[in-house]
Amino acid sequence: MSVDIATVKRVARLSRLAVSDEDAQRMVGELNVILGFVEQLDEVDVSGVEPMTSVIAMDMKKRADVVTDGDKAADVVANAPASEEGFFLVPKVVE
């Protein structure tokens, strides 16, 4: 894949960047070098490599999946101006 001057100008316009013709021409070369490097990385065989979240092997910290504070419906609606059977009562908005 290669980038031409029209693509650079279009991306600059979409990014709301003012780019002169000289800068656009320079960017064409720079972006093509970057894309060439990325194409080289695509050639590397990574079929036996596991995905990593860090460069250091480590276990993810996990918490126990237990309810620690619940069953407080009465406490939650205690401060409400009006409630009924554990639910907030609000004025009717739509007729």
Side-chain angles (χ1 to χ4, degrees):
M1 178 181 177
S2 66
V3 175
D4 59 356
I5 195 159
T7 305
V8 170
K9 288 193 171 249
R10 181 172 181 266
V11 170
R13 184 181 55 82
L14 292 172
S15 303
R16 301 183 196 279
L17 297 173
V19 176
S20 67
D21 290 337
E22 291 175 4
D23 288 340
Q25 191 61 41
R26 184 178 46 81
M27 288 180 187
V28 167
E30 291 175 358
L31 290 172
N32 283 324
V33 168
I34 292 170
L35 290 175
F37 179 69
V38 171
E39 286 176 357
Q40 285 180 354
L41 292 175
D42 281 340
E43 295 173 5
V44 175
D45 180 24
V46 294
S47 58
V49 179
E50 291 185 32
M52 299 181 352
T53 58
S54 175
V55 294
I56 300 171
M58 58 187 340
D59 291 327
M60 297 292 290
K61 296 180 181 174
K62 299 175 187 160
R63 63 172 174 81
D65 190 17
V66 296
V67 176
T68 56
D69 61 7
D71 198 26
K72 295 188 176 199
D75 295 338
V76 171
V77 295
N79 293 326
S83 64
E84 182 178 303
E85 297 180 12
F87 296 99
F88 294 103
L89 291 179
V90 295
K92 188 173 184 179
V93 179
V94 181
E95 295 287 332

